[in-house]
């Protein structure tokens, strides 16, 4: 009887809004070394050239672009994703080819990206549907790696845009430094990048205390890693069968992890990345507390759970450790012709048009 009344109450609380809800999907995808085939004299990109041992030819490049486009379209399912955070893209020409010359060319995506000092030339980017995310501004946030004795790493991308509900959404895209075998130096570098990210979020909240914030990308660390509490203020979101509101989740400069849905079958992917037979989520989507308010015009969809896209075509048999693993483009120097060493992750939101106020 209590469960029945709880269901009735939730239905009463949301019923008048369900019909008016429109989905909004955010995808985060590390596309594994999406390089063009031309040499940039200012970057160390020689391994991804036609004459290099990897033989990164134009044919392989265009095949890779169409595979990335296929993944983006597939993750959208009934409709294309509204925004897509990308990691490991080389430059503007790659993004132009993806959005204007690949099989994604009719989708209407626009993009913004960083131009960081990373020695290999890999950057992060954000694709967006201009009808669903009207860009208001963007900038690159430099991680001062060299000042602390580290090699340059990827910039953090910040983009602000209006969504159809009328709200402004603030999106940060990051690709934190590699774990590099778990060395202390790598940990310190990742902490530096994470502190830079947190400082940018704090600065935004000082200007706009009610900012709706999303942070997405490859953190090179699972959620249990100390970086999420030591350098970032991230809380685990505990959501039960109730309506999440801003009264039950603080709106301050604390971000909430959108933990993934659990998998019951051990052979299915239990993460977005697999290393030596172990799955883990290195890719995350973090949200501000006010995005948990299910009564707001723009909010996370209940249940608030990040998902990994584990389509069969993105996976292959792991003959060494058993089970499956991401079907990647290269396995070491060997060309495999797959998609990426990461699986894309996504999080769903909903928006409602604000009712016009009576005069």
């Amino acid at each position: 009887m209590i469960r029945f009344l709880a269901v009735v109450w939730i239905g009463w609380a949301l019923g008048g809004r369900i019909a008016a809800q429109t989905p909004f999907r955010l995808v985060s995808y590390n596309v594994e070394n999406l390089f063009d085939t031309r040499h940039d004299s200012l970057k160390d990109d020689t391994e991804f050239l036609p004459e290099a041992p990897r033989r990164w030819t134009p044919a392989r490049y265009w095949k890779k672009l169409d595979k990335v486009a296929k993944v983006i379209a597939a993750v959208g399912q009934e409709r294309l994703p509204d925004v897509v955070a990308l990691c490991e893209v080389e430059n503007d020409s790659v993004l132009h080819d993806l959005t204007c010359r690949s099989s994604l060319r009719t989708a209407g995506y626009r993009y913004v990206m960083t131009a960081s000092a990373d020695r290999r030339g890999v950057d992060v980017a954000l694709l967006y549907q201009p009808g669903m995310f009207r860009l208001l501004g963007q900038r690159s946030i430099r991680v001062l790696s060299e000042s602390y004795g580290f090699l340059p790493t990827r910039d953090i991308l910040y983009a602000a845009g209006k969504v159809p509900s009328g709200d402004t959404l603030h999106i940060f895209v990051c690709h934190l430094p590699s774990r590099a075998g778990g060395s202390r130096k790598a940990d310190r570098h990742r902490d530096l990048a994470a502190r830079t990210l947190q400082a940018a979020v704090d600065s935004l909240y000082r200007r706009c205390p009610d900012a709706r914030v999303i942070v997405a990308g490859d953190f090179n660390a699972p959620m249990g890693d100390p970086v999420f509490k030591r350098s970032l203020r991230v809380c685990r979101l505990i959501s039960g069968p109730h309506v999440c509101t801003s009264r039950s989740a603080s709106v301050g400069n604390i971000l909430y992890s959108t933990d993934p849905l659990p998998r019951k079958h051990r052979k299915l992917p239990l993460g977005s990345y697999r290393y030596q037979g172990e799955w883990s989520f290195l890719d995350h989507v973090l949200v501000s507390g006010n995005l948990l308010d299910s009564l707001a015009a723009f909010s996370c969809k209940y249940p608030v759970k990040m998902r990994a896209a584990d389509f069969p075509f993105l996976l292959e048999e792991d003959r060494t450790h058993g089970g499956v693993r991401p079907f990647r483009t290269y396995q070491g120097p060997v060309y495999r012709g797959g998609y990426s060493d990461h699986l894309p992750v996504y999080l769903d939101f909903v928006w409602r048009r604000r009712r016009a106020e009576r005069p």
Side-chain angles (χ1 to χ4, degrees):
M1 185 63 180
I2 294 176
R3 290 183 180 178
F4 173 76
L5 291 175
V7 170
V8 170
W9 182 82
I10 293 173
W12 174 81
L14 298 179
R17 297 171 173 83
I18 289 176
Q21 290 182 353
T22 303
F24 184 101
R25 178 164 290 182
L26 177 143
V27 177
S28 181
Y29 190 25
N30 182 323
V31 293
E32 188 198 352
N33 294 321
L34 183 52
F35 283 81
D36 64 20
T37 59
R38 298 182 295 275
H39 176 49
D40 182 345
S41 60
L42 300 178
K43 301 295 182 181
D44 183 15
D45 62 354
T46 54
E47 63 177 326
F48 286 96
L49 296 174
E51 62 273 16
R54 288 178 180 263
R55 294 184 56 80
W56 186 238
T57 62
R60 290 180 175 182
Y61 169 67
W62 287 105
K63 182 179 179 181
K64 172 88 171 184
L65 286 176
D66 279 332
K67 285 183 177 294
V68 173
K70 177 182 176 180
V71 174
I72 292 173
V75 177
Q77 297 175 338
E78 293 86 1
R79 53 192 300 273
L80 287 168
D82 299 283
V83 289
V84 183
L86 296 177
C87 297
E88 293 196 15
V89 291
E90 185 183 14
N91 51 37
D92 181 83
S93 66
V94 169
L95 269 294
H96 174 78
D97 288 343
L98 176 64
T99 56
C100 299
R101 302 180 67 190
S102 76
S103 56
L104 205 63
R105 61 187 176 275
T106 60
Y109 279 111
R110 297 179 185 175
Y111 64 87
V112 289
M113 70 176 302
T114 58
S116 66
D118 179 84
R119 62 185 180 86
R120 295 178 63 240
V122 292
D123 281 287
V124 299
L126 184 74
L127 307 185
Y128 62 94
Q129 292 283 350
M132 299 299 292
F133 183 83
R134 180 166 60 86
L135 187 69
L136 299 176
Q138 62 91 21
R139 66 185 180 96
S140 292
I141 301 167
R142 183 60 51 91
V143 179
L144 301 179
S145 304
E146 293 174 287
S147 298
Y148 291 86
F150 304 113
L151 292 173
T153 190
R154 281 79 54 172
D155 288 356
I156 298 164
L157 175 65
Y158 164 74
K162 283 278 189 184
V163 293
S165 66
D167 296 295
T168 298
L169 200 60
H170 303 268
I171 301 177
F172 294 85
V173 183
C174 64
H175 184 187
L176 301 191
S178 170
R179 305 171 77 179
S183 69
R184 291 184 178 181
K185 185 175 182 180
D187 289 342
R188 292 197 303 272
H189 196 189
R190 194 163 57 257
D191 283 343
L192 173 63
R195 290 197 303 272
T196 303
L197 170 61
Q198 185 67 58
V201 173
D202 291 345
S203 177
L204 171 63
Y205 275 125
R206 284 193 292 270
R207 301 192 313 271
C208 183
D210 295 326
R212 288 168 169 78
V213 180
I214 299 173
V215 181
D218 180 358
F219 288 73
N220 266 308
M223 187 50 64
D225 191 275
V227 72
F228 288 98
K229 287 189 176 181
R230 182 175 58 214
S231 305
L232 293 167
R233 288 186 291 279
V234 177
C235 289
R236 303 292 286 266
L237 173 62
I238 302 174
S239 57
H242 63 276
V243 180
C244 292
T245 71
S246 57
R247 291 183 294 276
S248 61
S250 62
V251 179
N253 55 353
I254 295 176
L255 298 171
Y256 290 82
S257 66
T258 54
D259 288 350
L261 285 172
R263 290 290 188 182
K264 296 181 179 180
H265 199 292
R266 65 180 180 85
K267 290 186 178 181
L268 292 176
L270 300 174
S272 60
Y273 184 80
R274 199 180 199 211
Y275 178 70
Q276 294 185 349
E278 296 294 328
W279 283 100
S280 62
F281 275 96
L282 303 185
D283 306 271
H284 304 279
V285 181
L286 312 177
V287 299
S288 55
N290 49 11
L291 287 174
L292 305 177
D293 183 353
S294 58
L295 304 182
F298 187 92
S299 64
C300 294
K301 182 180 178 181
Y302 179 82
V304 186
K305 291 293 183 182
M306 182 182 71
R307 292 165 169 81
D310 53 1
F311 305 115
F313 65 83
L314 291 177
L315 302 166
E316 67 174 355
E317 180 185 359
D318 188 340
R319 296 183 178 179
T320 303
H321 301 99
V324 292
R325 63 185 180 187
F327 182 24
R328 58 192 300 173
T329 306
Y330 280 90
Q331 188 72 42
V334 179
Y335 179 69
R336 300 279 299 158
Y339 295 80
S340 173
D341 55 348
H342 287 245
L343 297 178
V345 298
Y346 62 94
L347 182 66
D348 286 327
F349 300 83
V350 292
W351 64 270
R352 312 165 187 84
R353 294 196 183 277
R354 296 183 186 274
R355 295 180 180 178
E357 294 183 2
R358 294 180 179 178

